[in-house]
Amino acid sequence: MASNPEEALKDSVEALGTTSKLYRETLHLPMHHISVGITPIAFYVNEENVPKYFADFYSEIRPEWIGSTCTLESYSEVVKDDEKVAYLLKASRLDKYGSIMSTFEGIFTLGKIEQDWRLISRNIFNVSEESKLKQRKLIDKWNEKGQEQG
């Protein structure tokens, strides 16, 4: 829960890493993750869809992310009104030793409901190429596993 949009932005980036911050407490439902092709979860509609921690699925989809953190490097306001603010940001994922694993840019939109600012939309751009290739392989493996089970 955040009292202003900048605090909510920082919380939402931090929650993408291994943290004690509860993922659900950083977003308003429904929350949309805009992606093309490789992200398996694109829309959180209800409570059952939202993991307690974003890192809960790392062991299956991105095992190298276990223990990693996300850091907000910079941001600027794109557009706002009384209920929403969109930011253009740059962020990094760091391994447990503090080395950069990947970088990305994004447009994160924060919404205010009853004076509580939280993430309502995340649109990631320019993920570092090596990270995209690893993710593609792991997502394909995850999808194959699901097809074998289903």
Side-chain angles (χ1 to χ4, degrees):
M1 296 186 186
S3 61
N4 63 66
E6 288 181 340
E7 182 183 339
L9 176 66
K10 292 170 185 173
D11 288 349
S12 66
V13 171
E14 180 186 335
L16 295 175
T18 303
T19 178
S20 61
K21 191 169 295 298
L22 295 174
Y23 185 56
R24 175 61 184 95
E25 292 181 359
T26 66
L27 51 96
H28 284 307
L29 296 178
M31 196 285 287
H32 191 210
H33 175 91
I34 301 165
S35 65
V36 178
I38 62 173
T39 303
I41 301 167
F43 197 68
Y44 294 115
V45 178
N46 52 43
E47 298 293 334
E48 297 83 49
N49 299 120
V50 183
K52 184 174 183 177
Y53 300 98
F54 192 76
D56 286 349
F57 70 90
Y58 289 174
S59 61
E60 287 188 50
I61 295 178
R62 294 303 298 257
E64 76 275 17
W65 282 6
I66 295 172
S68 69
T69 57
C70 274
T71 305
L72 181 62
E73 304 297 340
S74 64
Y75 63 93
S76 60
E77 189 178 286
V78 177
V79 63
K80 75 175 182 177
D81 62 24
D82 292 339
E83 298 173 337
K84 297 184 301 262
V85 179
Y87 292 101
L88 176 63
L89 64 89
K90 292 184 181 186
S92 300
R93 179 172 296 281
L94 308 175
D95 66 19
K96 59 186 172 188
Y97 306 108
S99 298
I100 294 176
M101 299 176 73
S102 66
T103 58
F104 63 90
E105 296 175 317
I107 298 173
F108 282 35
T109 303
L110 297 301
K112 179 175 69 171
I113 297 177
E114 298 179 5
Q115 304 307 310
D116 181 22
W117 288 90
R118 297 187 190 194
L119 184 70
I120 58 172
S121 177
R122 178 176 55 228
N123 191 349
I124 304 293
F125 295 86
N126 298 325
V127 175
S128 43
E129 195 61 33
E130 183 179 326
S131 183
K132 281 199 296 195
L133 293 172
K134 275 186 182 178
Q135 185 165 352
R136 174 77 265 158
K137 289 178 187 175
L138 290 164
I139 297 292
D140 287 347
K141 185 178 175 182
W142 187 61
N143 286 334
E144 288 172 16
K145 183 179 172 183
Q147 289 173 356
E148 290 170 4
Q149 294 174 351

